């Protein structure tokens, strides 16, 4: 497999398509077109409109610049611009899946963030001697958050835990790279916070 093909495969596995957002926009546009067609058909048949007659709606839109005060025009323009900006960002920005690429020689390895979190929690548990259920790991696109809840009376060196986590994450060689945050949450600290 060529390098460009490999890059394309990895990108498809780590980025989500914008199909859902596109589908929502298309459905809204189709519903607006169907509604306009129904209103026009009712108007041509001489029936009362569902909401607004097409002629009255056109007159309201045409008269909007003189009917609204300048602040209202600015507000309407800002809302329309914001909706357009949101749709543009959704269309252009890449969607991210909860996966990372691992460097593994010439092969492409795409791993789910949950697998990375589980492996890191297991490694930290074995290396530190803290029970696995007392280690909580969350992996996001750019960060790894580790919370260690040691039992009461067990001494824990936060710097050592941080070093274990950083060393293990470095061996994964994740792309994009992640920053690690390690927090020790002692039961005594939680009890003090709850008593306040």
């Amino acid at each position: 497999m060529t390098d460009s093909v490999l890059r394309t495969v990895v990108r498809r596995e780590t980025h989500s398509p914008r199909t859902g957002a596109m589908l929502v926009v298309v459905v809204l546009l189709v519903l607006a077109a169907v509604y306009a067609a129904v209103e026009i058909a009712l108007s041509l048949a001489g029936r009362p409109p569902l909401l607004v007659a097409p002629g009255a709606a056109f007159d309201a839109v045409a008269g909007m610049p003189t009917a609204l005060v300048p602040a209202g025009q600015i507000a309407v323009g800002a809302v329309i611009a914001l909706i357009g900006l949101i749709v543009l960002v959704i269309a252009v920005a890449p969607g991210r899946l909860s996966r990372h690429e691992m460097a593994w020689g010439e092969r492409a390895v795409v791993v789910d963030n949950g697998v990375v979190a589980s492996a890191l929690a297991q490694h930290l548990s074995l290396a530190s001697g803290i029970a696995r259920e007392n280690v909580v790991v969350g992996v996001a696109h750019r960060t790894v958050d580790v919370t260690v809840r040691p039992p009461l009376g067990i001494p824990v060196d936060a710097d050592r835990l941080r070093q274990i986590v950083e060393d293990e994450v470095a061996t994964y060689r994740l792309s994009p790279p992640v920053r690690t945050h390690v927090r020790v949450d002692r039961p005594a600290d939680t009890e003090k916070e709850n008593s306040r």
Side-chain angles (χ1 to χ4, degrees):
M1 207 181 293
T2 65
D3 192 46
S4 63
V5 172
L6 201 57
R7 293 282 102 214
T8 302
V9 170
V10 169
R11 180 161 176 78
R12 284 183 182 165
E13 290 298 319
T14 56
H15 292 75
S16 66
R18 292 302 187 178
T19 309
M22 182 193 70
L23 186 64
V24 168
V25 171
V26 168
V27 166
L28 291 177
L29 289 175
V30 167
L31 288 176
V34 167
Y35 168 73
V38 168
E39 288 292 8
I40 290 171
L42 288 175
S43 175
L44 291 175
R47 304 284 220 150
L50 293 176
L51 295 176
V52 179
F58 180 75
D59 291 341
V61 170
M64 194 176 289
T66 56
L68 287 177
V69 294
Q73 293 174 356
I74 292 171
V76 169
V79 168
I80 292 171
L82 182 64
I83 291 171
L85 182 65
I86 290 170
V87 170
L88 182 67
V89 166
I90 288 173
V92 173
R96 303 271 183 205
L97 294 174
S98 58
R99 297 177 186 157
H100 277 85
E101 177 188 1
M102 292 177 74
W104 198 271
E106 295 180 12
R107 294 181 177 92
V109 177
V110 176
V111 63
D112 190 79
N113 288 353
V115 173
V116 174
S118 180
L120 187 56
Q122 185 65 34
H123 177 78
L124 183 60
S125 173
L126 293 173
S128 66
I130 297 171
R132 170 64 181 85
E133 60 267 11
N134 294 331
V135 178
V136 178
V137 179
V139 179
H141 182 63
R142 296 277 184 188
T143 59
V144 173
D145 291 311
V146 179
T147 303
V148 179
R149 295 185 179 102
L152 197 57
I154 303 251
V156 173
D157 182 6
D159 292 330
R160 181 173 172 266
L161 294 178
R162 189 172 293 107
Q163 191 61 49
I164 292 170
V165 169
E166 288 175 359
D167 290 346
E168 183 67 9
V169 168
T171 63
Y172 296 162
R173 297 184 348 209
L174 298 175
S175 176
V178 294
R179 290 178 316 228
T180 59
H181 303 285
V182 179
R183 183 171 61 106
V184 177
D185 185 17
R186 296 194 169 277
D189 298 339
T190 307
E191 290 171 9
K192 288 178 187 174
E193 288 174 7
N194 291 339
S195 64
R196 288 180 186 171

